[in-house]
Amino acid sequence: KNEVEQSPQNLTAQEGEFITINCSYSVGISALHWLQQHPGGGIVSLFMLSSGKKKHGRLIATINIQEKHSSLHITASHPRDSAVYICAVKGRSNFGNEKLTFGTGTRLTIIP
Amino acid sequence: GAVVSQHPSWVICKSGTSVKIECRSLDFQATTMFWYRQFPKQSLMLMATSNEGSKATYEQGVEKDKFLINHASLTLSTLTVTSAHPEDSSFYICSATPWRTSGGAINTGELFFGEGSRLTVL
């Protein structure tokens, strides 16, 4: 069993639909990142969470530390949201530069 | 916002040659940078942690003599793929977390990735 599991692996939806991508992890963490990777390969960090909920535009990320679970939501999805979304967790450490453990990613395709 | 620049973005080389990839933080200092490799339709795999002024820490199964890492300054880490072979063809990407930004913030924990380098070895 992977330390970080994402679901679904692939998701195709119509433009405008509400999207939810889930991430479950089995280790103690200091932070969780949601990343977006476009077809060209570039990666952008969308959110860094250690508790609660964050919102940026049409994107919302939540985390439940007790349940070791995080969700990424996209409202009013658009074809430009098509990308691979990756959940990554950072372990607990005193040093601040801990390495990340990555989920396998969710490939999202939004159809016009 | 903070930017990490990676160069070259793509490179094609002959088998047996060496290829150097640079990862540069443009407006922040990073004592640690991370190098990842990604094969098609797979997730990122951490290869090594690059530490400024000291030896890199390699993940299990990654040959340190083949993938040379140099982190000579707080803003630059390089990965050299030595004696490249076709099986080294992959997408290589670096990341860095600001230790200190140009504005003075310390260890923000935010994560920034380079644009990635696609290596093809013929």
Side-chain angles (χ1 to χ4, degrees), chain A residues 29-73:
Chain A
I29 67 168
S30 61
L32 181 146
H33 293 261
W34 280 103
L35 311 172
Q36 181 191 54
Q37 184 171 30
H38 280 280
I43 295 175
V44 173
S45 177
L46 299 174
F47 294 103
M48 181 179 69
L49 294 163
S50 55
S51 65
K53 175 181 174 178
K54 286 189 176 180
K55 184 176 189 292
H56 182 70
R58 294 181 294 106
L59 302 178
I60 302 166
T62 63
I63 188 169
N64 185 316
I65 298 295
Q66 287 74 29
E67 295 185 2
K68 292 186 167 62
H69 181 269
S70 176
S71 293
L72 175 69
H73 305 286

